[in-house]
């Protein structure tokens, strides 16, 4: 019996630790869901990606359309990758028809790469894909972000974990207003907000 008790003690301790961790994860998930909703973002639409030497521009985090999600990643040499997640607006397969008008102006080329679609014009290029009923688009200026780098961003995009969402979403009490600091306002004067790539022009509105 002594040996049985000594063997059971580590198992019980492990079980208690697992339950405690589960409770913490549940609490963190609830807090992050509240944080996303406070910004008008559907929690299921918070996606992130991973590209070496690129980091999240926190001021760029915002809602797309009614409840989509948008964020920009800044590169070491000034390049920017814009990640947008929004609901579907077409019933057919995701592809060039759904991405029309979303990647700049001028004559466009479009081709499929596995589960991704690549679209390019002289001023912008993008990868678009579908996941869990949402359309995910990664766009950039081809002069500052190469196709290889943009493809890597598309290949690594995924729904944010609780830890990743914590790093991306601003806290609810940021600036005391529960909203992120605007990153699209001009530095001087009373000009209109900057929106060079249509980051805040969602498709669900």
């Amino acid at each position: 019996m002594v040996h049985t008790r000594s063997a059971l003690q580590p198992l019980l301790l492990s079980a208690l630790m697992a339950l405690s961790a589960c409770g913490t994860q549940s609490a963190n998930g609830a807090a992050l869901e509240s944080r996303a909703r406070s910004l008008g973002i559907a929690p299921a639409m918070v996606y992130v990606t991973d590209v070496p030497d690129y980091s999240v521009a926190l001021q760029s985090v915002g809602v797309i359309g009614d409840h989509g999600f948008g964020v920009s990643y800044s590169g070491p040499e000034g390049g920017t990758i814009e990640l947008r997640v929004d609901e579907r607006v077409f019933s057919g397969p995701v592809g060039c028809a759904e991405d029309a008008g979303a990647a700049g102006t001028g004559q466009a080329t479009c081709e499929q790469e596995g589960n991704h679609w690549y679209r390019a014009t002289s001023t912008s290029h993008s990868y678009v894909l579908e996941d869990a009923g949402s359309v995910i688009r990664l766009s950039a200026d081809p002069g500052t972000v190469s196709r290889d780098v943009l493809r890597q961003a598309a290949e690594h995009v995924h729904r944010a974990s609780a830890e990743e969402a914590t790093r991306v979403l601003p806290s609810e009490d940021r600036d005391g207003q529960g909203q992120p600091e605007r990153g699209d306002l001009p530095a001087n004067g009373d000009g209109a907000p900057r929106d060079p790539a249509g980051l805040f022009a969602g498709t669900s509105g």
Side-chain angles (χ1 to χ4, degrees), residues 49-183:
T49 188
D50 182 22
V51 183
D53 300 324
Y54 278 74
S55 57
V56 171
L58 293 177
Q59 291 183 345
S60 70
V61 176
V63 63
I64 297 295
D66 288 338
H67 46 248
F69 173 72
V71 63
S72 295
Y73 288 78
S74 300
E77 299 179 0
T80 299
I81 297 174
E82 295 178 349
L83 168 61
R84 293 178 56 179
V85 185
D86 205 352
E87 61 189 3
R88 299 245 0 208
V89 294
F90 286 84
S91 58
V94 169
C96 295
E98 186 155 10
D99 201 33
T105 59
Q107 185 65 36
T109 60
C110 187
E111 58 189 276
Q112 187 172 9
E113 290 186 20
N115 295 326
H116 303 73
W117 287 83
Y118 175 75
R119 186 177 187 275
T121 70
S122 60
T123 59
S124 183
H125 60 164
S126 64
Y127 275 93
V128 62
L129 63 149
E130 180 188 8
D131 184 57
S134 296
V135 175
I136 304 166
R137 184 176 292 108
L138 296 107
S139 305
D141 182 336
T144 57
V145 178
S146 70
R147 179 171 177 175
D148 287 342
V149 171
L150 192 60
R151 180 190 299 112
Q152 183 173 356
E155 290 174 346
H156 291 171
V157 72
H158 59 278
R159 186 173 291 175
S161 67
E163 181 181 356
E164 291 168 328
T166 299
R167 294 197 298 265
V168 172
L169 293 174
S171 60
E172 292 183 67
D173 60 353
R174 183 172 177 174
D175 295 332
Q177 301 295 324
Q179 295 287 344
E181 181 181 349
R182 288 289 294 271

Side-chain angles (χ1 to χ4, degrees), residues 10-26:
L11 294 175
L12 290 172
L13 180 59
S14 298
L16 288 173
M17 292 178 64
L19 287 173
S20 177
C22 181
T24 300
Q25 292 174 359
S26 177

